[in-house]
Amino acid sequence: MAKLKIKSGDTVRVIAGEHKGQEGKVQLVLIEKNKAIVEGVNMISKHEKPSAANPQGGIVKKEAPIHISNLSLLTKDGETTKVGYKMDGDKKVRFSKKSNEVI
C-alpha cells in the first residue's frame, strides 16, 4: 500500500470526476480504502429511519468518500501542488514540489 500524502485538515481541490473544481477541507482519511471525506464535496442523500438521535427521520445530506487520486493539495496562495517528503534535520516533513516550501 502506498503512503498517502493527504492528511486530515488539509485543504484540497478535486481534479477529476463529477465534482471537478470543488474545494474543501479533508475531514477524514480512510487509509485502507485510499479514500477521503472532504467537507462539502460528493454530497449524497441518505434515507434515515426515525431514531432517538433523529426522531423525525427523513432524507439527510452527507459527504461520501472520494478517491485520493482525484484530490490535489492546495497551497496557501490557492494553487494545486504535488507533495513530497524530505528530511529537515532529524524530522521527516512534507513539502510542496511546486514552491519547495514546507507544509
Side-chain angles (χ1 to χ4, degrees):
M1 184 178 347
K3 181 159 177 67
L4 302 180
K5 297 180 178 180
I6 292 178
K7 311 282 185 203
S8 294
D10 287 346
T11 304
V12 295
R13 179 179 292 153
V14 180
I15 58 171
E18 184 181 340
H19 304 285
K20 182 177 181 176
Q22 291 185 358
E23 298 175 5
K25 194 171 218 169
V26 176
Q27 295 177 335
L28 177 70
V29 177
L30 307 168
I31 298 168
E32 59 280 345
K33 293 184 178 181
N34 286 340
K35 294 188 176 199
I37 296 177
V38 181
E39 189 177 299
V41 176
N42 202 17
M43 299 295 286
I44 60 169
S45 298
K46 182 162 175 59
H47 300 272
E48 298 236 336
K49 279 177 74 173
S51 65
N54 186 7
Q56 188 65 28
I59 300 171
V60 177
K61 290 267 197 191
K62 61 186 273 186
E63 292 98 357
I66 188 166
H67 201 272
I68 291 286
S69 66
N70 294 339
L71 301 175
S72 182
L73 188 72
L74 286 177
T75 58
K76 292 175 184 166
D77 54 337
E79 292 185 26
T80 60
T81 184
K82 291 184 178 182
V83 178
Y85 285 91
K86 66 180 177 183
M87 295 302 290
D88 186 25
D90 293 340
K91 284 180 77 174
K92 187 179 191 182
V93 294
R94 294 188 308 160
F95 73 98
S96 164
K97 288 192 174 182
K98 197 175 259 188
S99 64
N100 210 21
E101 66 182 40
V102 175
I103 299 172

